[in-house]
């Protein structure tokens, strides 16, 4: 469990799973992956002894219980919980700790994936269709770069299906590497999402053009939480740090809002 210093929209990160094969599988177009750079940096070898090769740390599952103060925990900053290389059992063990009936119920959780099809099918069958009630403390999301292609369109299509199952959803456009106008259009808008996050690229730093950020902001609806990270530059990265209502008190308690 680590206190967040750079992400901004969470208070902590906790990685039961580390490592990712999305780039090797051709479904990740982010050339400068901060997670891979961190995991393969010799300075962090003790923290990531397997580098960026996938590894499941079962001993970390219940470490979340040690943090008694409610937190907003990003659960896969160094991996993808719904990656095709994980077993169903590993995914379910990770979901169970976030289950408000059987897990650590006082925290809120954020999960981002580039594999929304597996996420949708897993959540559809979770705990005999009780998933939306059991996982009410979790925001399930997809990462898109703004590219107008079938891979990113499908991510938004399947996330919308997950929203239809009554789960909370978040769209992360981080890093925003392409003009998102056509992607948003072909996805039939983004106003259905419970939260929208926009960010630039780090290591190397690459701020998205202001007009791209404005297009995302303009596609949201009044009252829809929009979090624009400071690494987007300009005035927008300094003023739009919205959290959903259930996350806001926790973010304030940790000095995030």
């Amino acid at each position: 469990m680590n206190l967040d210093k750079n992400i901004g929209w969470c208070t902590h990160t906790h990685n039961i799973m580390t490592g990712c094969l999305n780039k090797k599988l051709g479904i990740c177009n982010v050339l400068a992956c901060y997670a891979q750079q961190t995991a393969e940096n010799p300075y962090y070898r003790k923290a990531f002894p397997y580098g960026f090769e996938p590894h499941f740390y079962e001993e970390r599952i219940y470490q979340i219980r040690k943090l008694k103060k409610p937190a907003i925990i990003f659960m896969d900053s160094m991996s993808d919980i719904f990656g095709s290389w994980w077993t169903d059992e590993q995914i379910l063990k990770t979901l169970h700790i976030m289950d408000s009936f059987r897990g650590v119920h006082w925290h809120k959780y954020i999960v981002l994936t580039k594999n929304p099809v597996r996420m949708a099918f897993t959540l559809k069958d979770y705990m005999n269709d009780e998933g939306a009630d059991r996982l009410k403390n979790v925001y399930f999301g997809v990462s898109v770069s703004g590219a107008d292609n079938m891979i990113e369109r499908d991510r938004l299509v399947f996330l919308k299906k997950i929203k239809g199952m009554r789960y909370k959803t978040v769209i992360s456009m981080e890093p925003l590497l392409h003009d998102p106008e056509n992607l948003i259009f072909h996805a039939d808008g983004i106003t259905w999402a419970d939260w929208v996050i926009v960010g630039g690229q780090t290591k190397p730093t690459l701020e998205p053009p202001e007009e791209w950020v404005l297009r995302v902001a303009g596609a949201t609806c009044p009252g829809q939480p929009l979090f624009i990270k400071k690494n987007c530059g300009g005035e927008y990265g300094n003023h739009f740090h919205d959290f959903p209502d259930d996350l806001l008190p926790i973010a304030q308690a940790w000095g995030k809002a």
Side-chain angles (χ1 to χ4, degrees):
M1 177 88 65
N2 294 298
L3 187 67
D4 171 59
K5 296 179 181 179
N6 300 310
I7 297 174
W9 41 260
C10 65
T11 65
H12 294 73
T13 59
H14 186 61
N15 290 279
I16 297 168
M17 304 164 168
T18 63
C20 179
L21 300 179
N22 283 333
K23 288 177 70 174
K24 292 182 179 179
L25 295 172
I27 61 171
C28 176
N29 63 352
V30 177
L31 297 178
C33 173
Y34 79 92
Q36 183 175 3
Q37 290 174 341
T38 301
E40 294 179 347
N41 187 330
Y43 182 80
Y44 297 109
R45 184 164 295 167
K46 185 175 181 180
F48 302 101
Y50 302 92
F52 208 49
E53 290 300 309
H55 187 76
F56 186 81
Y57 293 87
E58 189 150 359
E59 68 274 14
R60 294 182 182 178
I61 292 176
Y62 294 102
Q63 290 178 359
I64 297 176
R65 294 184 183 277
K66 296 179 181 180
L67 182 62
K68 301 303 181 183
K69 181 179 177 179
I72 303 168
I73 305 174
F74 183 20
M75 291 294 288
D76 53 355
S77 66
M78 297 299 295
S79 187
D80 185 330
I81 284 178
F82 293 99
S84 59
W85 53 92
W86 302 119
T87 67
D88 291 341
E89 181 183 13
Q90 289 170 329
I91 292 173
L92 289 175
K93 283 183 177 180
T94 305
L95 291 177
H96 287 166
I97 198 63
M98 297 183 277
D99 189 316
S100 60
F101 287 18
R102 62 187 294 174
V104 183
H105 60 82
W106 56 89
H107 296 315
K108 304 292 185 181
Y109 304 93
I110 300 168
V111 173
L112 295 178
T113 187
K114 289 184 171 66
N115 295 276
V117 177
R118 191 177 193 187
M119 180 165 70
F121 279 98
T122 301
L123 296 180
K124 180 177 181 295
D125 297 328
Y126 184 76
M127 299 304 290
N128 299 317
D129 298 328
E130 294 182 2
D133 295 322
R134 288 179 169 271
L135 296 172
K136 61 185 178 181
N137 290 334
V138 187
Y139 280 78
F140 292 98
V142 295
S143 299
V144 293
S145 65
D148 183 32
N149 56 46
M150 290 307 300
I151 291 176
E152 299 216 341
R153 289 185 198 177
D154 282 349
R155 286 179 193 161
L156 295 180
V157 167
F158 276 92
L159 186 64
K160 193 172 183 179
K161 292 181 184 293
I162 290 168
K163 172 68 175 179
M165 300 176 201
R166 298 188 298 113
Y167 289 95
K168 294 174 180 176
T169 56
V170 54
I171 298 172
S172 172
M173 294 190 179
E174 182 187 354
L176 183 61
L177 300 175
H178 306 274
D179 186 339
E181 183 175 22
N182 289 333
L183 175 64
I184 293 171
F185 174 78
H186 288 123
D188 198 24
I190 57 175
T191 57
W192 46 268
D194 295 292
W195 196 14
V196 177
I197 297 169
V198 186
Q201 178 180 281
T202 55
K203 296 181 182 180
T205 300
L206 184 62
E207 293 181 359
E210 185 175 290
E211 58 266 28
W212 295 1
V213 178
L214 284 174
R215 285 195 180 105
V216 178
T220 60
C221 63
Q224 184 179 19
L226 172 65
F227 193 105
I228 300 177
K229 291 188 62 170
K230 292 182 178 180
N231 65 4
C232 284
E235 61 176 305
Y236 302 101
N238 292 320
H239 295 291
F240 290 89
H241 296 158
D242 298 340
F243 286 87
D245 289 343
D246 60 327
L247 302 187
L248 182 59
I250 300 175
Q252 291 173 330
W254 288 95
K256 292 284 187 173

